[in-house]
């Protein structure tokens, strides 16, 4: 491993986009989602916080029918959605052998 120089340590940290950050997470994606959204519960939720609280932007609103689209393959397994939207989100750990493993941190 090479030694870090003072100059390299003082270099600004590159700004990464969300896609770049998600690229640092190693994942083995199952074909079956580990997240279920009760669509009626989603539609009747006044502020629909699930669209904003997920750091990986797993949830998005379908522009035509208003359903919640679940991009489960982006999930970081942080559990934030389960805390904030427990009334209409059912989140389980992925099946054994699937899910995320962090490369750094």
């Amino acid at each position: 491993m090479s030694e870090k120089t003072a100059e390299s340590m003082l270099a600004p940290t590159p700004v990464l986009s969300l896609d770049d950050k998600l690229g640092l997470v190693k994942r083995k994606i199952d074909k079956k989602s580990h997240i279920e959204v009760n669509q009626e519960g989603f539609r009747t939720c006044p502020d629909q916080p699930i669209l904003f609280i997920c750091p990986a932007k797993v949830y998005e609103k379908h522009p035509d029918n208003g359903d919640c689209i679940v991009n489960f393959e982006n999930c970081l397994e942080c559990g934030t959605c389960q805390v904030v939207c427990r009334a209409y989100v059912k989140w389980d750990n992925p099946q054994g052998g699937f899910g995320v493993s962090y490369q750094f941190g």
Side-chain angles (χ1 to χ4, degrees):
M1 191 177 268
S2 65
E3 288 185 38
K4 290 187 175 185
T5 64
E7 190 173 290
S8 70
M9 292 171 61
L10 295 174
T13 304
V15 177
L16 300 176
S17 70
L18 178 62
D19 288 336
D20 291 337
K21 289 176 185 175
L22 289 174
L24 297 175
V25 179
K26 182 180 175 187
R27 57 187 58 146
K28 185 173 180 187
I29 301 170
D30 195 353
K31 293 178 183 170
K32 182 180 180 242
S33 177
H34 62 285
I35 304 168
E36 293 178 30
V37 173
N38 176 303
Q39 296 296 339
E40 185 60 31
F42 170 75
R43 282 190 218 94
T44 59
C45 183
D47 298 321
Q48 297 177 329
I50 197 153
L51 299 173
F52 309 103
I53 53 96
C54 178
K57 300 195 184 294
V58 169
Y59 307 94
E60 58 184 302
K61 190 173 187 174
H62 192 285
D64 297 331
N65 63 16
D67 282 354
C68 182
I69 300 168
V70 180
N71 300 304
F72 72 94
E73 53 280 332
N74 290 347
C75 183
L76 298 173
E77 300 173 29
C78 67
T80 303
C81 60
Q82 188 64 19
V83 172
V84 175
C85 304
R86 184 176 299 273
Y88 59 90
V89 174
K90 182 177 182 284
W91 185 95
D92 290 317
N93 287 313
Q95 295 184 74
F98 292 97
V100 299
S101 59
Y102 293 92
Q103 296 179 21
F104 303 105

